[in-house]
């Protein structure tokens, strides 16, 4: 790992649907109103940039009016529109953050191929072509051609280019690393999609039903450039998401909302397994021999894209020798780009000015160092990570930290979670009824994408008969998890298919104080905070490409890797593990009888089954040692 300096001191999506706001008004931490007007400091120009195949992409360029010095070029490519359109319409925020906007950069926004005001045909998660032949294009070639045009046609730049983006634009930021242009020096994929079979729309083969409404955004094609939305969201007639999807029944019944003209809906239905279609659209496997500096950013409580940032960083780290750093904070999707004083996820408060600290001391330093050559400012560590239990930033020279070890706990009788496995052969069982699935949240609302539930109180689930719980005694000393979690379940079912969901929960002591954000009907005493959860669609337990049924009542191993955490369970808190088979409607309902394609399952396929979890089941934590 090449380090230049070591730091010695410390939606749908963010860009979607913004309109032209002439003046940015922001209250600073001192209470002073900031009326910075980008129009006073930037010139705006809209151009179309030709790609190597002749397709032209709409591109907006904001250049500082002060030309007394040269500036780097910062670019973000998006499928969500580079609005506002029109030479006299300005974004409220130009650059990744307010500090960088005021310092000055040449900032470029581009509508990607086939989206909004750009020409061409859109391909959702367009596959990378490693060895292109004449006439072949992908997002790497479009990025390269765009940078080449900017370098040759934009005035007053210093020759250095940076790329950033959050969520889908984060995927395009990652894409810029492939066949990178020589001028590209620094890239920050933030909450990047890494693979649509493990991010956003699927988790370990299970379809995430909560993202179904977003299919409207990605599925409808257009045949010419446009500055207006050409898609619309289905009218559901209720705010009760749970009841709507329960009443809808099998996924095939949702066809009445999305017809054949929604290309992505057809792709989802036609490719239920991790086949060549999905494999080609993954970008993680191509991240090797990367040259530009990379800072990958993510949120520990990002329900949309947690797989992406952790695996983007990890794959680059293993397969490249470039500058590569990871930043993970106490955020949901894209929170780090906001200017909120109090940082909270749902009911849980994590501290003040956390995003501001990141923007000014991490993000700005990264880009300024590699794009402006500000070497007097210390550089970043390998991993800048926030402990969501102690609620403080930590820095490490590797992630996970070197001083970690695996500790194994067993799921024991009498709802116990302990390090010493009992030799007594036993099991706990529950009945999973597709007609009464476990909700993922108590809230009654229709959300576009879930956020708050990532730290939600899980007491409601612990009190259901179809959720198994295993819990330690109150801890006598703090215990810090720093890395991945592996659940090694031994299970059986009376059916031939099942989902297995594991949640790791921090149980607060009874006298814990409430926060400002605590919902009125709740108390933080005995709060069951979800720290991490993950699902495994049981048919994929051995191979995501080749599903197979369970043999009824046969003990079978199902391993579930939960994404990394960095969380300290404090003294007096308890560690709880919950195991269940439904988490609705975050995850669609498994029929629990094996069918080749769940998108085509019939009502009679959905059957009540009894599931068992045996006490030989284990959960392996990555524990930070003193």
């Amino acid at each position: 790992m090449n380090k230049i300096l070591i730091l010695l001191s410390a939606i749908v999506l963010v860009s979607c649907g913004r309109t032209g706001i002439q003046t940015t008004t922001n209250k600073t931490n001192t209470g002073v109103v900031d009326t910075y007007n980008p129009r006073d400091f930037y010139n705006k120009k809209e151009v179309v940039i030709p790609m190597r195949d002749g397709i032209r992409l709409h591109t907006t360029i904001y250049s500082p009016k002060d030309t007394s010095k040269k500036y780097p070029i910062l670019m973000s490519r998006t499928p969500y529109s580079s609005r506002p359109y029109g030479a006299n319409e300005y974004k409220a925020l130009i650059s990744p953050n307010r500090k960088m906007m005021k310092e000055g950069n040449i900032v470029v926004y581009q509508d990607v191929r086939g989206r909004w005001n750009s020409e061409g045909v859109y391909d959702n998660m367009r596959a990378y072509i490693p060895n292109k032949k004449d006439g072949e294009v992908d997002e790497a070639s479009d990025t390269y051609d765009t940078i080449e045009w900017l370098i040759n046609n934009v005035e007053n730049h210093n020759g250095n280019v940076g790329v950033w983006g959050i969520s889908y634009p984060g995927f395009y930021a990652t894409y810029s690393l492939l066949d990178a242009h020589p001028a590209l020096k620094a890239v920050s994929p933030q909450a990047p999609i890494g693979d649509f079979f493990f991010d956003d729309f699927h988790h370990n083969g299970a379809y995430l039903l909560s993202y179904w409404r977003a299919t409207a955004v990605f599925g409808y094609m257009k045949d010419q450039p446009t500055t207006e939305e050409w898609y619309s969201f289905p009218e559901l007639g209720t705010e009760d998401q749970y009841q709507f999807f329960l009443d809808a029944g099998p996924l095939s019944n949702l066809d009445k909302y999305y017809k054949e003209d929604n290309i992505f809906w057809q792709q989802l239905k036609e490719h239920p397994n991790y086949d060549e279609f999905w494999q080609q659209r993954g970008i993680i496997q191509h991240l090797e021999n990367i040259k530009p500096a990379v800072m990958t950013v993510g949120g520990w409580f990002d329900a949309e894209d947690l797989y992406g940032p952790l695996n983007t960083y990890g794959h680059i780290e293993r397969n490249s020798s470039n500058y590569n750093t990871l930043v993970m904070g106490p955020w949901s999707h894209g929170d780090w780009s906001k200017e909120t004083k109090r940082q909270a996820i749902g009911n849980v408060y994590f501290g003040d000015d956390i995003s501001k600290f990141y923007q000014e001391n991490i993000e700005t330093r990264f880009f300024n160092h590699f794009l402006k050559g500000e070497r007097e400012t210390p550089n970043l560590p390998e991993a800048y990570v926030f402990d969501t239990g102690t609620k403080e930033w930590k820095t490490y020279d590797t992630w996970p930290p070197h001083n970690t070890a695996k500790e194994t706990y067993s799921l024991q009788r009498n709802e116990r979670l302990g390090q010493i496995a009992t030799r007594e052969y036993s099991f706990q069982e529950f009945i999973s009824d597709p007609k009464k699935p476990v909700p993922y949240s108590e809230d009654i609302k229709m959300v576009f994408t879930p956020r708050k539930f990532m730290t939600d109180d899980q007491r409601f689930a612990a009190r259901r008969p179809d959720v198994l719980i295993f819990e330690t005694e109150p801890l006598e000393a703090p215990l810090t998890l720093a890395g991945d979690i592996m659940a090694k379940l031994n299970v059986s079912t009376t059916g031939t298919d099942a989902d297995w969901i594991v949640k790791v929960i921090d149980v607060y002591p009874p006298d814990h104080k409430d926060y400002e954000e605590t919902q009125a009907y709740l108390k933080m005493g005995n709060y069951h905070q979800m720290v991490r959860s993950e699902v495994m669609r049981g048919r994929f337990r051995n191979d995501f490409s080749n599903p197979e049924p369970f043999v009824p009542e046969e003990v079978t191993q199902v391993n579930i890797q939960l994404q990394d955490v960095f969380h300290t369970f404090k003294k007096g808190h308890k560690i709880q593990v919950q195991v269940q088979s439904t988490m609705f409607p975050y995850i669609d309902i498994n029929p629990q009888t094996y069918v080749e394609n769940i998108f085509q399952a019939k009502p009679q396929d959905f059957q009540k089954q009894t599931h068992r979890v045996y006490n030989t089941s284990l959960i392996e934590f990555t524990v930070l040692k003193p």
Side-chain angles (χ1 to χ4, degrees), residues 346-535:
N347 299 293
V348 183
Y349 165 72
F350 292 98
D352 285 356
D353 298 321
I354 293 174
S355 295
K356 176 181 171 64
F357 174 83
Y358 156 77
Q359 292 168 18
E360 296 185 356
N361 296 283
I362 302 177
E363 184 174 48
T364 300
R365 290 185 181 186
F366 170 76
F367 280 116
N368 284 357
H369 179 84
F370 288 103
L371 300 182
K372 294 183 176 180
E374 295 185 1
R375 297 183 180 275
E376 69 276 10
T377 301
N379 217 340
L380 301 177
E382 174 74 16
Y384 218 140
V385 288
F386 192 92
D387 185 326
T388 56
T390 61
K391 302 179 180 179
E392 57 186 347
W393 286 104
K394 298 286 187 180
T395 61
Y396 296 101
D397 59 7
T398 185
W399 182 262
H402 287 302
N403 55 325
T404 57
K406 301 295 185 182
E407 289 189 3
T408 302
Y409 288 67
S410 62
L411 308 186
Q412 300 174 8
R413 296 183 64 187
N414 300 319
E415 301 184 340
R416 293 178 300 172
L417 180 68
Q419 284 187 268
I420 301 175
T422 176
R423 296 182 179 179
E424 185 175 314
Y425 186 79
S426 63
F427 58 81
Q428 293 195 48
E429 67 180 20
F430 62 95
I431 297 172
S432 179
D433 186 352
K435 295 182 179 180
K436 296 181 179 179
V438 181
Y440 77 89
S441 171
E442 283 190 294
D443 294 340
I444 304 298
K445 59 183 178 181
M446 185 68 69
V447 294
F448 190 78
T449 52
R451 291 172 178 265
K452 147 184 188 300
F453 95 102
M454 293 290 282
T455 65
D456 256 352
D457 187 14
Q458 298 301 307
R459 277 176 284 199
F460 76 94
R463 294 164 183 172
R464 283 184 60 121
D466 48 359
V467 177
L468 304 182
I469 63 171
F470 305 89
E471 190 174 84
T472 66
E473 296 294 325
L475 298 178
E476 296 181 358
L479 180 72
T480 300
L481 306 187
D484 71 342
I485 301 168
M486 177 66 79
K488 300 178 179 180
L489 302 183
N490 289 314
V491 300
S492 68
T493 175
T494 55
T496 50
D497 200 3
D499 289 347
W500 301 95
I501 297 159
V502 173
K503 297 185 290 191
V504 176
I505 292 160
D506 185 341
V507 179
Y508 290 21
D511 60 350
H512 197 285
K513 304 291 187 188
D514 291 344
Y515 299 120
E516 286 182 19
E517 292 79 5
T518 303
Q519 289 171 281
Y521 74 92
L522 282 177
K523 293 294 180 183
M524 298 307 292
N526 200 41
Y527 190 84
H528 286 34
Q529 181 197 328
M530 191 166 76
V531 174
R532 182 64 71 241
S533 66
E534 192 55 276
V535 59

Side-chain angles (χ1 to χ4, degrees), residues 128 140-141 174-181 283 286-288 290:
Y128 169 61
S141 65
T174 305
Y175 224 131
S176 73
L177 297 168
L178 307 179
D179 306 327
H181 193 284
I283 199 170
H286 300 296
L287 296 176
E288 52 188 28
I290 300 302

Side-chain angles (χ1 to χ4, degrees), residues 319-340:
N319 297 284
S320 302
S321 58
N322 66 320
Y323 178 96
N324 185 41
T325 188
L326 174 71
V327 182
M328 295 294 294
W331 299 306
S332 65
H333 196 64
D335 280 353
W336 50 91
S337 68
K338 299 177 182 178
E339 298 176 331
T340 307

